[in-house]
């Protein structure tokens, strides 16, 4: 009788199937998002130049925060009679790849302009700007109904294209060996012990390893079944990791140094702030909120054959914002709703919140085991690059797909052309500040870091262009369909 009840409950939102039924279903969600949840942390840690011990803290924190934020989406926290933090839907949260781009800009451009050179101070600036920038998404959550028209599929799609294109360069660096590899053969020959595990940037070993993982992930995605297909990135990384061990590319020292059990502490790196950095993060929080709106609609349409209610959507955005700000406090990057998990729900129709909650609790408990986080950071950059470069490409393709579903009407084509011209074309050229009048130079210098973020500029230009060219009735209908399929 219990088996029969479990079979029925897993297709219902409420109710508690037995642990033996819930755990594998919840674990499936965790496996599908595990790599995507932690890879952005490793990329930013590498850009900032943080030590292995610091990376372990960041990875552990990311697992705990993602688990906790997912629980808020499943079991919302009420805010009076009208609002709540959480959608009361099976939404899985994880570290957003989209924020890698803006975090890199803050770390490599804003931080040096402030005279910050210590890696921990640089990352503290990333966290501080992320924390304050998250207030924009809080605002979106409370007023999203009135703001929805500003964020059409054209706005979201062009911004996703810019994000994906910008991230591809980071993926390419990892593909060739990452920042840990020697810049060239001369540097390697000067100190071979320093690059014992990472080798030379662009070497046959690094590129060959990355290609192996890349092809393997593609094969698993195409021919895999069930959990293997849904977790192709994880399986590709695992197999690539085993091969890299055999090739002598893995340094196990971080695992040895990590503690067995530890509770992530808030403000481990501290917080630092910058107006330019906050503005950059604020714009990316808008995109994160739109991703969450799309995934919320995708889940309700696929699983319940209906659009999400206003309370569900607002709650999802507020949980996204709250979880991202919590992540900044606990040393991690912002969260977002993971599309691959919405895909699992669409495919299986298993919507039971308790099943997802069991997986979320397991993820949070994993974050309390630093040796597990340390294990993940021992993955060679080339192995990671082979897996994530396809993810970055998919971000761009998702933007193209969203634009295509919105339609290529004369209005939409005009907006896309204007957006990409200014957002990607002009931002590739540095501002000639010295040629402008003296009274405007301070303003140009202040916004210079913002103009170096193509995605941020694309978002602003696309919104402005959309306001200048109002939607026709046909455009509105196609835009609505595009957001539902996001």
């Amino acid at each position: 009788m219990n088996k029969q009840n479990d079979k029925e409950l897993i297709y219902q939102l409420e109710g508690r199937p037995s642990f033996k039924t819930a755990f594998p279903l919840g674990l499936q969600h965790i496996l599908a998002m595990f790599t995507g949840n932690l890879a952005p942390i490793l990329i930013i840690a590498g850009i900032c130049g943080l030590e292995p011990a610091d990376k372990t803290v960041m990875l552990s924190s990311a697992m705990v925060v993602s688990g906790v934020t997912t629980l808020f989406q499943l079991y919302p926290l009420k805010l009076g009679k009208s609002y709540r933090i959480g959608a009361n839907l099976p939404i899985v949260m994880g570290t957003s790849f989209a924020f890698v781009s803006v975090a890199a800009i803050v770390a490599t451009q804003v931080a040096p302009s402030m005279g910050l050179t210590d890696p921990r101070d640089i990352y503290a600036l990333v966290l501080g700007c992320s924390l304050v920038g998250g207030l924009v998404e809080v605002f979106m959550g409370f007023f999203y109904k009135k703001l929805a028209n500003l964020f059409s599929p054209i706005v979201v799609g062009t911004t996703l294209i810019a994000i994906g294109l910008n991230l591809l360069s980071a993926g390419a660096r990892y593909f060739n060996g990452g920042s840990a590899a020697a810049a060239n053969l001369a540097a390697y020959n000067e100190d071979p012990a320093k690059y014992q595990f990472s080798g030379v940037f662009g070497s046959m070993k690094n590129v060959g390893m990355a290609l192996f993982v890349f092809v393997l992930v593609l094969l698993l995605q195409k021919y895999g079944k069930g959990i293997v297909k849904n977790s192709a990135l994880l399986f590709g990384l695992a197999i690539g990791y085993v091969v890299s061990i055999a090739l002598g590319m893995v340094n196990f020292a971080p695992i040895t140094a990590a503690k067995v059990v530890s509770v992530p502490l808030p403000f481990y790196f501290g917080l630092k702030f910058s107006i330019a950095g906050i503005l950059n993060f604020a714009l990316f929080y808008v995109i994160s909120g739109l991703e969450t709106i799309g995934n919320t609609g995708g889940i309700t349409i696929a699983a319940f054959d209906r659009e999400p209610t206003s309370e569900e959507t607002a709650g999802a955005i507020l949980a996204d914002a709250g979880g991202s700000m919590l992540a900044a406090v606990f040393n991690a990057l912002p969260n977002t709703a993971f599309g691959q998990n919405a895909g699992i729900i669409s495919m299986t129709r298993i919507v039971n919140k308790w099943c997802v909650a069991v997986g979320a609790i397991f993820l949070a408990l994993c974050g309390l085991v630093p040796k597990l986080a340390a294990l993940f950071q021992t993955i060679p950059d080339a192995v990671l690059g082979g897996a994530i470069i396809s993810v970055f490409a998919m971000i761009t393709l998702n933007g193209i797909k969203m634009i295509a579903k919105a339609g290529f009407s004369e209005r939409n084509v005009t907006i896309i052309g204007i957006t990409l011209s200014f957002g990607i074309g002009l931002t590739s050229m540095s501002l000639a500040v010295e040629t402008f009048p003296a009274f405007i130079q301070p303003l140009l210098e202040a916004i210079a870091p913002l103009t170096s973020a193509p995605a941020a500029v694309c978002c602003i230009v696309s919104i402005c262009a959309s306001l200048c060219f109002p939607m026709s009735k046909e455009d509105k209908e196609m835009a609505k369909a595009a957001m539902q399929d996001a």
Side-chain angles (χ1 to χ4, degrees), residues 55-320:
K55 294 180 184 179
T56 300
V57 171
M58 295 162 65
L59 292 167
S60 295
S61 299
M63 286 188 274
V64 172
V65 171
S66 295
V68 171
T69 308
T70 299
L71 290 174
F72 274 118
Q73 291 284 27
L74 298 168
Y75 303 102
L77 176 66
K78 285 284 186 179
L79 295 176
K81 295 181 179 179
S82 303
Y83 298 98
R84 67 190 186 194
I85 300 176
N88 195 42
L89 292 170
I91 296 174
V92 177
M93 304 295 290
T95 309
S96 173
F97 265 112
F99 284 93
V100 170
S101 179
V102 65
I105 289 168
V106 172
T108 60
Q109 299 181 39
V110 180
S113 71
M114 297 174 61
L116 300 178
T117 57
D118 184 89
R120 291 170 64 92
D121 288 340
I122 293 172
Y123 189 59
L125 179 66
V126 171
L127 295 176
C129 294
S130 174
L131 178 64
V132 180
L135 294 173
V136 170
E137 195 175 6
V138 173
F139 183 82
M140 278 183 68
F142 283 114
F143 300 102
Y144 92 96
K145 266 187 171 181
K146 297 180 179 179
L147 298 172
N149 291 334
L150 292 177
F151 308 117
S152 67
I154 296 298
V155 174
V156 182
T158 51
T159 306
L160 286 176
I161 289 173
I163 291 173
L165 292 177
N166 197 38
L167 287 175
L168 280 173
S169 60
R173 284 195 298 272
Y174 270 74
F175 202 89
N176 283 278
S179 57
N184 51 48
L185 188 59
Y188 177 81
N189 289 332
E190 184 177 338
D191 189 2
K194 182 179 179 182
Y195 305 104
Q196 175 186 354
F197 302 104
S198 54
V200 180
F201 187 86
S203 66
M204 182 63 69
K205 179 184 281 189
N206 279 324
V207 174
M209 189 72 249
L211 278 172
F212 169 75
V213 175
F214 176 73
V215 173
L216 181 60
V217 170
L218 290 181
L219 292 174
L220 291 174
Q221 287 177 333
K222 183 172 179 61
Y223 299 108
K225 303 293 183 183
I227 194 171
V228 174
K229 182 180 181 69
N230 292 328
S231 305
L233 278 179
L234 184 67
F235 281 96
L237 276 175
I239 296 171
Y241 184 67
V242 172
V243 174
S244 66
I245 292 174
L247 295 175
M249 299 174 67
V250 178
N251 178 14
F252 293 105
I255 301 176
T256 305
K259 297 179 181 178
V260 177
V261 178
S262 179
V263 177
L265 298 175
F267 306 113
Y268 178 81
F269 296 94
L271 297 172
K272 294 185 181 297
F273 306 95
S274 158
I275 297 298
I278 290 169
L279 289 174
N280 270 283
F281 265 98
L283 285 167
F284 276 78
Y285 270 110
V286 171
I287 304 305
S288 180
L290 294 172
E291 280 187 286
T292 298
I293 291 172
N295 285 322
T296 303
I299 288 173
T300 57
I301 291 168
F304 308 115
D305 196 27
R306 64 171 175 81
E307 293 186 20
T309 66
S310 58
E311 188 178 27
E312 288 170 339
T313 306
I317 297 172
L318 288 173
D320 189 352

Side-chain angles (χ1 to χ4, degrees), residues 2 5-6 9-10 13-19 22 75 352 354-355:
N2 189 48
N5 288 339
D6 280 358
L9 284 174
I10 62 175
L13 188 63
E14 305 294 343
R16 290 196 176 189
S18 64
F19 181 79
Y75 303 102
N352 185 264
W354 175 243
C355 293

Side-chain angles (χ1 to χ4, degrees), residues 16-27 30 70-71 74-75 352-365:
R16 290 196 176 189
S18 64
F19 181 79
K20 66 180 181 181
T21 298
F23 182 72
L25 295 174
L27 184 62
I30 300 309
T70 299
L71 290 174
L74 298 168
Y75 303 102
N352 185 264
K353 292 192 303 180
W354 175 243
C355 293
V356 180
V358 170
I361 293 169
F362 176 75
L363 178 63
L365 291 176

